[in-house]
Amino acid sequence: MLLFDIKRYAINDGPGIRVTIFMNGCPLACVWCHNPEGISPRAEKLYTRKKCIGCGACVDVCPTGALTLTEAGIVTDRSLCRTCGRCAEVCPTLAMEMSGREYSIDEVMREIEKETVFMDRSEGGVTFCGGEPLSHPSDLVALLDRCGALGIHRAVDTTLFASRSVMERTDLFLVDLKHMDSGSHRRFTGVPNERILSNLRMIAEAGIDFLIRIPLIEGVNADEENISRSAIFLASLPWERKVVNLLPYHDIGKGKHDKRGTLYNPGHLPLSTPSEAVLQRCIDQFASCGITVLIGG
């Protein structure tokens, strides 16, 4: 399987101290995506201009002649680039990097097992993230089974726009709820939301624990109507936790798009951080439906 990161000592991806496994590939393409390097199911080349010293080593080693040294730094002809990684191997300053590395199930488990002492002390575990981990059901099921056999708490951070086969093997789902209107959901993420809402109701009715996280964005989903629909829908679920994490918008993904050579928010859609007044209004709307709000996390 292809992973683009393994994050140790994570404290915002479920209870306790965790190791988070980032799996490549996602069926969504959210305009504000914080991990755009994880959208593609294939490895990607990243380039950081400010690290580049213009030595030309990458240009010389490229087998397809895809790289050119210019006054603006290294320019890649993507029609020629085969993402072989030779440029990253010879770059002395790590200005060129490859995002995405193939791992076997055994290799991933070895990385997880290294952290069990911290998991045990903090009642933590492992979180499978992405991208969209449910896009790789066979690999994910194998890892969940191996972790379950070791008594490791298992969380899956997901859009729920994917396979249902991991439900009975997951202790906690971390679910992003982005928009209640299917047309708007498609506009901002590239896919409709009917499957997401159906799967969320399914795990709630099955009695499986989950956390709801809403990336709160002015111009996208922070309006009164969408928050009201979100609160009413969540209150209708058989769900004991009744807690929502609101994640105020930031544009951390912009720098990653720069490294990929792609544009952040290419449609120039209106995205902004909600004001304190908007945050309080959202808190009050959820509270009126019996739902507690936490900011961040």
Side-chain angles (χ1 to χ4, degrees):
M1 79 196 75
L2 194 69
L3 307 182
F4 67 94
D5 198 8
I6 297 176
K7 179 181 177 184
R8 295 168 175 81
Y9 317 119
I11 58 173
N12 293 315
D13 297 327
I17 296 174
R18 311 186 71 81
V19 55
T20 302
I21 309 297
F22 291 83
M23 306 174 80
N24 276 79
C26 185
L28 278 66
C30 302
V31 174
W32 57 87
C33 182
H34 295 169
N35 294 318
E37 72 275 33
I39 295 174
S40 173
R42 295 176 293 277
E44 293 190 337
K45 184 184 70 175
L46 307 179
Y47 173 62
T48 306
R49 172 68 182 93
K50 65 182 180 181
K51 290 184 179 180
C52 181
I53 58 175
C55 68
C58 58
V59 176
D60 295 337
V61 79
C62 179
T64 61
L67 304 181
T68 304
L69 178 59
T70 73
E71 291 184 359
I74 299 295
V75 175
T76 300
D77 183 338
R78 297 194 177 274
S79 68
L80 297 176
C81 180
R82 299 292 180 262
T83 60
C84 65
R86 295 284 300 281
C87 54
E89 291 173 2
V90 301
C91 181
T93 62
L94 303 181
M96 287 285 185
E97 305 171 79
M98 293 302 296
S99 175
R101 183 199 139 186
E102 288 287 346
Y103 286 79
S104 68
I105 299 294
D106 286 341
E107 285 179 305
V108 178
M109 285 306 304
R110 283 196 290 272
E111 294 300 320
I112 292 171
E113 290 177 46
K114 289 177 184 177
E115 310 303 321
T116 53
V117 63
F118 302 105
M119 299 176 193
D120 293 343
R121 291 176 180 173
S122 67
E123 297 184 351
V126 59
T127 299
F128 297 98
C129 187
E132 172 50 76
L134 297 188
S135 293
H136 312 278
S138 59
D139 288 334
L140 183 58
V141 164
L143 288 166
L144 290 170
D145 282 344
R146 294 273 295 269
C147 290
L150 295 173
I152 297 173
H153 183 273
R154 302 158 295 180
V156 176
D157 187 348
T158 174
T159 65
L160 285 181
F161 191 83
S163 166
R164 303 181 181 189
S165 62
V166 304
M167 185 177 74
E168 63 188 22
R169 297 170 167 88
T170 301
D171 301 304
L172 174 68
F173 283 99
L174 308 177
V175 181
D176 282 353
L177 185 63
K178 304 175 193 299
H179 210 293
M180 291 302 296
D181 178 76
S182 189
S184 296
H185 197 280
R186 183 189 291 274
R187 179 189 181 201
F188 292 112
T189 73
V191 301
N193 71 355
E194 286 85 359
R195 186 192 300 181
I196 292 168
L197 299 182
S198 173
N199 285 351
L200 180 53
R201 184 170 292 280
M202 178 187 66
I203 65 172
E205 291 176 350
I208 297 171
D209 196 14
F210 62 92
L211 286 168
I212 294 293
R213 303 195 291 192
I214 298 178
L216 194 66
I217 308 169
E218 285 270 33
V220 175
N221 62 358
D223 57 280
E224 190 169 351
E225 178 183 356
N226 182 65
I227 295 301
S228 177
R229 290 179 64 183
S230 301
I232 291 169
F233 172 75
L234 292 172
S236 75
L237 301 178
W239 177 37
E240 292 185 8
R241 189 182 289 270
K242 302 292 186 188
V243 174
V244 167
N245 288 83
L246 296 182
L247 311 176
Y249 168 76
H250 56 76
D251 64 357
I252 191 173
K254 185 177 184 303
K256 293 183 176 182
H257 274 281
D258 291 342
K259 289 184 178 183
R260 297 174 73 221
T262 54
L263 291 176
Y264 178 79
N265 188 15
H268 304 290
L269 297 172
L271 310 175
S272 61
T273 303
S275 66
E276 289 296 326
V278 168
L279 279 174
Q280 187 58 55
R281 188 254 298 156
C282 293
I283 291 170
D284 294 341
Q285 284 185 270
F286 279 108
S288 71
C289 291
I291 297 172
T292 300
V293 168
L294 301 177
I295 304 298

